[in-house]
Amino acid sequence: MKLRRPPRFQENEPALPLINIVFLLLIFFMIAGVLAESPPFPVSPPGFEEKGAEGETKNLRLYVSAEGAFALGSEELPRAAVLERLEATEAAPALLDIVADKEADAAVLVTLMRELREAGQHELRLIVQEGAG
């Protein structure tokens, strides 16, 4: 009885499939990094120990800096213009996220929230950093 030799293992496996996967992952992360919106000025929200909402949706964001500057989305605007824009928008966002710097004056935020409610924006959410203390 004559036995055949098993086929020899190729030491030089083709690396092309691995290179393709790495390249596709690189493209994915480059695109995902571009989609994230960044505030027009540095904002450092205060910390909060509890967990936030698990499934956050993409909402319109209002940024408030420590110096009192305002930005709606990525556009920096004066306070009156922010309120006018939200009043003029017929399809107001269901939920407005407010991202305020931890050094921002609390009285300014309370007054701003009152003005936003008068402008027709009734659902507000204050965004804070998770786990910072």
Side-chain angles (χ1 to χ4, degrees), residues 57-130:
T57 59
K58 182 78 173 159
N59 299 320
L60 185 60
R61 288 194 169 197
L62 174 63
Y63 296 97
V64 181
S65 74
E67 294 80 27
F70 297 93
L72 194 58
S74 59
E75 183 180 2
E76 193 167 348
L77 298 167
R79 181 186 196 137
V82 169
L83 295 171
E84 287 174 9
R85 184 160 299 172
L86 287 173
E87 280 180 346
T89 308
E90 290 181 15
L95 182 63
L96 179 67
D97 291 340
I98 301 174
V99 182
D101 193 274
K102 63 183 173 186
E103 299 297 324
D105 189 14
V108 171
L109 286 175
V110 170
T111 306
L112 174 68
M113 288 182 192
R114 186 178 315 119
E115 292 172 349
L116 287 169
R117 284 197 181 102
E118 290 171 2
Q121 186 63 48
H122 296 290
E123 293 189 45
L124 305 171
R125 179 170 58 178
L126 186 62
I127 304 296
V128 295
Q129 284 182 348
E130 185 177 325

